[in-house]
Each structure stands twice: as structure tokens, then as C-alpha cells.
Amino acid sequence: MSLADPGFPNDLTRRIVHVDMDAFFASVEQRDRPELRGRPIAVGHADRRGVVATASYEARPFGVRSAMPSTRAMQLCPQLIFVEGRMSRYKEVSAEIREIFSRYTDLVEPLSIDEAFLDVTDNKLGIEYGTEVARRIKADIRRELNLTASAGVSYNKFLAKIASDWRKPDGLFTVHPDRAQDFIDALPIEAFWGVGPATAKRFHEMGVTCGWELRLKSFTELTDRFGAAGALFYKFARGIDSRPVRPFRERKSVGCEETFSEDVRGYAELERRLAAIAADLAGRMSRHDFRGRTLTLKIRFADFRTLSRSVTAPGSFGDERGIFAAAKKLLGAVEIPQGGVRLLGLSVSAREAPRAAPEATLF
């Protein structure tokens, strides 16, 4: 089946690179501290309430992964070394990586502190092939920063991102347009962008386990089942992704959360903690000149079950008092289990346009 589709634009001449730093936080720590090189390390807190932020590649064969409770990580790898994170340091290194990207193109869209998309179709050095641009970027990062990155190259963001995971660590993989459909057909459904465990389960219930089986589903069937995401899945199964690389992304939400050193039981104490989080959130929103109409409460229980509750207001959330009042109502509607709560978080989304400054007058 041809990758061309009359219903959707699909420019096969684009050259998109996705660069993903390998075990970024852990790699920076091993680079800066030679005694940690070659040893299994985890960036995070070692106490029983801690969570692994990043695990080095020496720790991963033991099953240690990001977001894993620290106690579980130590059980899997007793020789694991925990290192406290240094976010300010990681931001410094991220800025150095970004400077390397800028030598090749100004069309850089950061996804997080350690990964980004680059549109190198018309790059600054006039290099014809995206694979060669990716190879040079990887070499610059290794030579100048003593770190490794993996890169994926293709004609759209969907395929470039998947390709960057294909040969980690220190990998480089290109999905050419003439081989893209075979590549997509063989992908497990879990590899598709936007497919987490819950969505994968729904696909399995439909008899969809790979890209080829996904491509057999009609546009109507997918959108009826998954809504707007179904339209994306329909396109991705055909190698279609017309989203541009956007150098500047508008902030869509502001949030903060707190993991408690001890499980918190009882609404009175939870409300006290929630008030502090609301104050922190209001401060962050003020610094970012952000107001939004939807407030979301995140709760993680002692058994690691996580739920969220949201409310959308006719006006907007911006001040501490309004945030806390709405958050308290959301919390009051949640039944707290006997084990208590280990984490509370708040975020505001559905951004309201920043208020324009009043016009100056002459009189």
C-alpha cells in the first residue's frame, strides 16, 4: 500500500531528526564523578519513599527503571548506588546540547530537558542527508560533552521518535520513505506514539497487536473508539504525520506536587498540605503570567494507585485562594483508603490568553 493518502498531506522530502540523550541524568553524574563510571547508579532518593528518576545502563539489566520505587530498585540490584539529582546542573548541560543543535538548524523543538526534534531539511551547513546531520550532532556531543545520544531520522516526527529508540544506547537509525510501511507494519502496538498500557489493552481487545493489524481498522472505527486520538492512530499506521517542528511551544499547563516522607491520613492534614501546594502553584503561575480554567488534583495512594480529579470554571484560576477552595472540594469528594496518601499535586490548564497591558494615554 502506498504511503500517499489523498486525505492527508504527507511530505516525504522532509528530513526530521529526533535526538534523545542516553540515561541523561545518570550519564552526567558518571561523567562528572569518575568513580561512578561503569557502576550501576540511580539518580533519586534512596529512602523508602524515594523514586528512581533515571537509571544508568549498568543498572538496567537488573530491571531497574525510571519511576520505580527506590526500595524495589535496591531489591533488584543490591549494589545500586543512589545519587541525589542536580537539576541546575542538568539544565546547564541541556543548554550546551541545545547550542550544538543550533549550529545545524534553528528549527528545534524541545520535548524535555534531554530530547528534541530538529527539522534539518534546509540546514545551515547544506548537508543533503538527515542521517549525516544526525551523525555529526552525535559526534559533537560525544567530543565536546563526553556524553552519548541516540538519534532517529525520517520524514516525520512520529517515525523519527520511534527510530531514536531502535538502537539505544548511542544509536542511529533511519526510516527511509520506501521502507517505512514495512517498518510500521511490524511495530508492536505499544510502540506507537500515544499508546500506553491502558490504550494497548483496548487495542488488544480489538485484536490489534501490531501496525499491520492497526492499518486494517477503518478511520470511522478508530475515531469511534478513541476519538481524536483515533484519527492520529489511523495516520500513524500509514506513515502520515504532517505536524511541523515548532521551535517555540506555548506553555499549556503549570503544576506542582509533593511526595510526603510519611503517608498522610485524614482530611485535615491533607488539606493543610494542599494549602501549601496551592500557594506554591499560585506563585509559579504568577511568575509565568499564566491563568487557566481547568484545575486538576492528582492523588497517589500508599499502594501507588494514582487518580486525578478536575474541575473547569467559567472564569479562570490564578490566585491562591481560588485554587485552594476548588482543590479542597475535589479532595473532599475522594475516599481516602486506610493506607493514606503518599503524593498530592495540583495543576492548572486550559490557558486563558494573557491580559493585555492598558493602553497609555496622553492626558
Side-chain angles (χ1 to χ4, degrees):
M1 180 175 179
S2 171
L3 288 172
D5 188 299
F8 304 105
N10 197 31
D11 185 356
L12 303 183
T13 67
R14 297 167 71 204
R15 293 186 287 278
I16 308 299
V17 177
H18 180 257
V19 180
D20 191 5
M21 300 303 297
D22 298 323
F24 182 51
F25 295 173
S27 295
V28 171
E29 296 299 338
Q30 289 179 315
R31 182 197 69 175
D32 291 354
R33 298 174 58 183
E35 71 274 14
L36 298 177
R37 294 174 190 169
R39 305 181 70 180
I41 76 165
V43 176
H45 301 294
D47 58 48
R48 67 184 184 88
R49 311 291 300 181
V51 176
V52 175
T54 307
S56 70
Y57 278 94
E58 294 84 357
R60 296 186 184 192
F62 295 91
V64 180
R65 295 288 184 271
S66 300
M68 176 179 287
S70 300
T71 52
R72 177 60 178 158
M74 290 296 294
Q75 291 171 354
L76 293 172
C77 182
Q79 64 269 47
L80 188 67
I81 301 170
F82 270 88
V83 179
E84 290 292 324
R86 300 180 295 159
M87 186 54 66
S88 60
R89 179 60 174 149
Y90 308 145
K91 288 181 179 179
E92 290 176 1
V93 179
S94 180
E96 294 172 337
I97 296 167
R98 202 74 52 81
E99 191 279 326
I100 290 174
F101 293 162
S102 70
R103 301 172 194 170
Y104 296 87
T105 178
D106 291 326
L107 295 178
V108 178
E109 179 181 340
L111 293 182
S112 64
I113 194 172
D114 62 348
E115 62 174 321
F117 284 114
L118 294 76
D119 188 330
V120 300
T121 308
D122 298 308
N123 59 84
K124 294 179 179 179
L125 302 185
I127 301 170
E128 182 177 1
Y129 298 109
T131 302
E132 178 59 24
V133 176
R135 183 177 290 112
R136 293 194 190 189
I137 289 173
K138 279 169 49 65
D140 289 349
I141 291 172
R142 178 185 286 277
R143 182 180 63 255
E144 299 175 29
L145 305 180
N146 196 22
L147 295 170
T148 64
S150 291
V153 184
S154 195
Y155 60 90
N156 64 37
K157 293 164 79 171
F158 162 63
L159 288 169
K161 183 168 175 59
I162 292 176
S164 68
D165 286 331
W166 215 245
R167 291 177 177 166
K168 271 184 164 289
D170 198 19
L172 174 58
F173 188 75
T174 299
V175 180
H176 293 278
D178 58 352
R179 296 195 291 272
Q181 192 63 68
D182 289 340
F183 176 79
I184 296 166
D185 284 350
L187 285 175
I189 194 64
E190 291 80 3
F192 279 75
W193 208 343
V195 177
T199 304
K201 182 179 178 181
R202 295 174 67 188
F203 270 123
H204 289 169
E205 292 169 351
M206 297 171 63
V208 175
T209 63
C210 64
W212 175 75
E213 292 168 340
L214 175 61
R215 190 156 54 93
L216 294 178
K217 300 299 180 182
S218 70
F219 183 85
T220 299
E221 186 175 2
L222 290 172
T223 53
D224 285 348
R225 189 71 181 259
F226 298 100
L232 281 178
F233 296 145
Y234 179 86
K235 295 179 186 180
F236 289 166
R238 291 158 176 76
I240 298 166
D241 181 6
S242 58
R243 294 172 301 168
V245 172
R246 299 185 183 278
F248 304 103
R249 294 195 300 164
E250 181 184 9
R251 178 181 289 273
K252 295 184 178 180
S253 67
V254 175
C256 54
E257 60 186 39
E258 180 184 359
T259 300
F260 308 130
S261 58
E262 298 288 342
D263 294 325
V264 177
R265 300 172 180 84
Y267 285 100
E269 179 61 16
L270 286 170
E271 286 182 4
R272 188 181 71 81
R273 303 295 184 96
L274 194 63
I277 297 171
D280 186 12
L281 177 58
R284 295 188 185 195
M285 293 173 65
S286 176
R287 290 192 294 274
H288 291 287
D289 189 23
F290 188 101
R291 298 177 70 88
R293 296 176 56 238
T294 299
L295 177 70
T296 300
L297 170 70
K298 175 182 175 183
I299 305 178
R300 181 167 296 149
F301 300 121
D303 60 2
F304 281 87
R305 286 187 303 116
T306 304
L307 62 79
S308 61
R309 296 289 184 267
S310 299
V311 61
T312 297
S316 62
F317 294 101
D319 64 281
E320 177 184 341
R321 181 178 298 180
I323 291 171
F324 177 59
K328 188 164 65 170
K329 287 183 179 179
L330 291 173
L331 177 65
V334 176
E335 183 178 350
I336 306 300
Q338 187 175 4
V341 173
R342 65 178 284 121
L343 176 149
L344 279 180
L346 289 173
S347 63
V348 171
S349 57
R351 184 172 193 173
E352 187 179 73
R355 297 175 179 176
E359 295 183 6
T361 58
L362 294 178
F363 304 100

